[in-house]
Each structure stands twice: as structure tokens, then as C-alpha cells.
Amino acid sequence: NWDHVRDVLDLCLNKQPLNNNATDFSRVREYLLAGQAKHWRQLIVSTKFTDPNIVSTFKRHAVSVEGMMKVSQRVLTVDDAALSEVLVPTLKQVFQRIPCTSFSTQGEDRLVYFEKHLLPQIQRTTTHTMIFVPSYFEFISL
């Protein structure tokens, strides 16, 4: 769950220890004692897919003095892609606009809309349906 990763990075990364545990400070680099560790460490994120959550978290926490680098594979052309060879004329994606009363209640409004409008329609008319839920907390509430 990406929310947990983001919380761990925010709360635990580059924090000074609360006690010294008999540390020999002559062996600790000066920039670490000055709180500059975030500028001298390497953050590596490995993923198969590019996601806005991953990119924003990487940009927030990768502040090395050497900069950042993104390595990606070559994007396949239409001729090379496997999806271009799949012929399913009945396959379609459906996007629906959900009315929300306010920004603070949008999660609850989505859940109520799903339970009252979409779920009965899916149960009644369709089979082999995939529903994408982007957040773990929304998944649990379903």
C-alpha cells in the first residue's frame, strides 16, 4: 500500500537519533551531524509502471546534490505492442461522473454512489467485470 510507504518515508527518513548509544562521533561524518544526510544519500525506486504517486514521492524525497535520474525501458510502438494484436470488439471502459457534495466528503460520496447505483447494475447485467480501486482504504471500505 503506497500510503504506508509514503508515511514511512515522511516519518523515518533522515531523522537524527534520540540518544547516542555510546557512538564514537569522530567516526561520524560532519554532514550527517549537521542534518544534511538527505543531500548525500541515494534513493532508488524500482517499478514496472509509472504512477503519479510514485513520481511525486520520489521527487519529494530524492534531494541528493548529485540530482536524480530516471531510467525507463523503450516504449513499444503500435506494431510491437501485444495489445494491438488482441481483437475484442466488445471490450470497453466505462467512466462515470459521481456527484459530490463537497471535497471533504468525496470518499463517502463515491462509496454511496457505488453501493446504490453501480453495484446493483453490475450484479444484474454484467459478468467478468474488473473494478479498479486506487487506494487501500477505499478497497477496505468496499
Side-chain angles (χ1 to χ4, degrees), residues 1 9-10 14 16 23 30 45 68 70 91 94 100 109 114 121 126-127 138-139:
N1 150 341
L9 289 174
D10 287 336
N14 301 318
Q16 295 285 340
T23 303
E30 188 66 33
V45 177
M68 68 174 89
K70 182 172 117 178
L91 184 67
V94 177
C100 294
D109 291 342
F114 179 78
Q121 179 184 2
T126 61
T127 59
E138 289 178 357
F139 173 74

Side-chain angles (χ1 to χ4, degrees), residues 24 47 64 69 84 96 103 105 107 121 135 138:
D24 181 11
T47 178
S64 174
M69 180 174 66
S84 66
Q96 298 208 359
F103 182 75
T105 62
Q121 179 184 2
S135 168
E138 289 178 357

Side-chain angles (χ1 to χ4, degrees), residues 28-39:
V28 179
R29 298 186 186 256
E30 188 66 33
Y31 62 86
L32 297 174
L33 296 174
Q36 299 297 317
K38 65 182 175 182
H39 298 293

Side-chain angles (χ1 to χ4, degrees), residues 74-86:
R74 179 180 65 88
V75 177
L76 298 175
T77 62
V78 175
D79 298 330
D80 296 336
L83 285 178
S84 66
E85 298 173 11
V86 177

Side-chain angles (χ1 to χ4, degrees), residues 71-112:
V71 179
S72 61
Q73 291 182 340
R74 179 180 65 88
V75 177
L76 298 175
T77 62
V78 175
D79 298 330
D80 296 336
L83 285 178
S84 66
E85 298 173 11
V86 177
L87 300 173
V88 183
T90 60
L91 184 67
K92 66 178 183 175
Q93 278 185 320
V94 177
F95 296 94
Q96 298 208 359
R97 185 177 301 270
I98 300 172
C100 294
T101 56
S102 71
F103 182 75
S104 61
T105 62
Q106 69 177 343
E108 297 167 12
D109 291 342
R110 279 193 302 231
L111 181 62
V112 168

Side-chain angles (χ1 to χ4, degrees), residues 5-22:
V5 171
R6 193 173 26 213
D7 287 343
V8 168
L9 289 174
D10 287 336
L11 297 174
C12 302
L13 197 63
N14 301 318
K15 301 296 180 189
Q16 295 285 340
L18 297 177
N19 51 17
N20 64 7
N21 294 329

Side-chain angles (χ1 to χ4, degrees), residues 53-66:
N53 292 324
I54 296 171
V55 172
S56 68
T57 303
F58 185 74
K59 284 183 177 180
R60 181 183 316 153
H61 294 288
V63 291
S64 174
V65 293
E66 294 295 324

